[in-house]
Amino acid sequence: LPAALGFERPNLRALVRPLLGERGRWLSRFRAEWRWAEEEAGEELSEADLERIWTEGTLEERSWVLDAVHRIDPAAARRRLEEVWKTEKAETREALLYALGEEVHPADEPFLERTLDDRAATVGRSASFLLLRLPNSQLTQRMAARADAMLSGKMTGLIRKSFALACMPPQEVDASWDRDGLVTKPPPKVGSRAHWLKSVLALVRPGRWITRFQQPPAALIAAVAKDDFADAAILGWAEAAWNFAQLDPACAAWFAPLGD
């Protein structure tokens, strides 16, 4: 809200005004430069105004237009984006993609799936980020399948039974990993297999493992602790808990045991 109230351009103020709500209008009373929010809204932006801002505005203004239209009519927002997609620079394509982020819609999936093949890798990774926000997207399923293949669990011991997890990262990966937004080249002093394991686990909702293995997070962490790839697995889960904290309620159960 402070960021929105801080806009100075009239076009941007008109776009964010409907989003401020009662709390935004209350907050605007505390600074003189924010008091515009309590003034009369005046006429709403017309379709012609939106079109002019979309074609002539700054990147920030164009992103706000795309976000505002997408919240009301996702198909119309995608049409706007597709019409200019081939003529925009990579950094512009990436920024405009993020305008869909807060309200990414299942109907956006076909466009985003095609965007994974963008000529700029950073744009493809941005599309990957958005697709992973959709719990049933094809990318979400592909990433989960990769992760499932790398973890197996079983009960051990005859009298004192305990649960153990084994990590089995692949020996090699194919080009589909890069297409799906995974950075396959490991950083210095990190083994390829450990890097691949961590990278994939970081992009899978942590609640999946509670459901699949029927174990709480603390037990899962203890179960993998003796594996050669334990550090990579735990780091992957930690990144996943952070990545999906607002999307997967099960993340809340991971933070304390991960901290321990």
Side-chain angles (χ1 to χ4, degrees):
L1 285 174
L5 290 167
F7 286 136
E8 297 180 359
R9 294 174 179 266
N11 290 339
L12 280 178
R13 288 181 174 183
L15 287 169
V16 302
R17 191 189 300 275
L19 310 178
L20 294 174
E22 183 178 354
R23 185 179 299 176
R25 289 189 294 274
W26 169 81
L27 190 63
S28 71
R29 302 169 191 168
F30 293 89
R31 289 191 180 179
E33 62 270 27
W34 290 352
R35 289 177 185 163
W36 60 267
E38 281 202 310
E39 297 170 359
E40 290 297 323
E43 295 183 1
E44 294 184 1
L45 288 176
S46 66
E47 183 63 30
D49 290 331
L50 287 174
E51 187 61 30
R52 178 177 55 78
I53 298 170
W54 173 246
T55 56
E56 301 175 9
T58 65
L59 180 55
E60 186 179 29
E61 290 172 333
R62 296 179 70 205
S63 296
W64 272 106
V65 168
L66 190 65
D67 176 56
V69 174
H70 187 257
R71 290 173 185 271
I72 300 169
D73 188 347
R78 288 194 304 276
R79 283 196 298 271
R80 286 180 182 270
L81 200 51
E82 289 179 307
E83 286 170 0
V84 302
W85 192 252
K86 292 183 179 180
T87 60
E88 300 289 358
K89 296 180 180 179
E91 56 266 28
T92 302
R93 298 198 303 277
E94 184 177 0
L96 291 175
L97 267 187
Y98 274 114
L100 309 180
E102 287 300 316
E103 297 289 339
V104 64
H105 192 275
D108 297 326
E109 182 179 357
F111 169 72
L112 294 172
E113 183 72 25
R114 294 194 301 273
T115 304
L116 292 175
D117 295 311
D118 194 272
R119 57 187 182 275
T122 55
V123 177
R125 283 195 286 272
S126 298
S128 172
F129 168 80
L130 295 180
L131 284 167
L132 290 170
R133 293 179 66 84
L134 297 172
N136 298 314
S137 71
Q138 294 179 52
L139 179 61
T140 296
Q141 294 175 33
R142 292 196 298 270
M143 211 64 74
R146 292 184 180 111
D148 283 345
M150 286 192 268
L151 291 179
S152 65
K154 64 178 181 179
M155 299 300 298
T156 62
L158 295 176
I159 300 175
R160 298 185 62 183
K161 291 184 178 295
S162 61
F163 182 72
L165 271 178
C167 302
M168 301 166 292
Q171 298 290 342
E172 57 184 20
V173 297
D174 57 34
S176 70
W177 285 51
D178 291 292
R179 179 185 183 269
D180 284 350
L182 290 159
V183 179
T184 54
K185 183 178 180 180
K189 299 182 180 181
V190 176
S192 294
R193 297 180 71 201
H195 172 68
W196 296 335
L197 173 66
K198 181 188 81 71
S199 298
V200 171
L201 291 183
L203 298 179
V204 175
R205 300 184 184 216
R208 181 178 189 84
W209 310 116
I210 299 174
T211 301
R212 178 184 167 188
F213 295 116
Q214 293 297 296
Q215 299 286 333
L220 292 170
I221 293 168
V224 81
K226 295 182 180 180
D227 190 270
D228 291 342
F229 294 97
D231 287 350
I234 293 170
L235 284 172
W237 284 335
E239 285 192 26
W242 174 264
N243 290 339
F244 295 103
Q246 294 182 327
L247 302 172
D248 182 2
C251 288
W254 284 84
F255 290 121
L258 281 168
D260 292 340

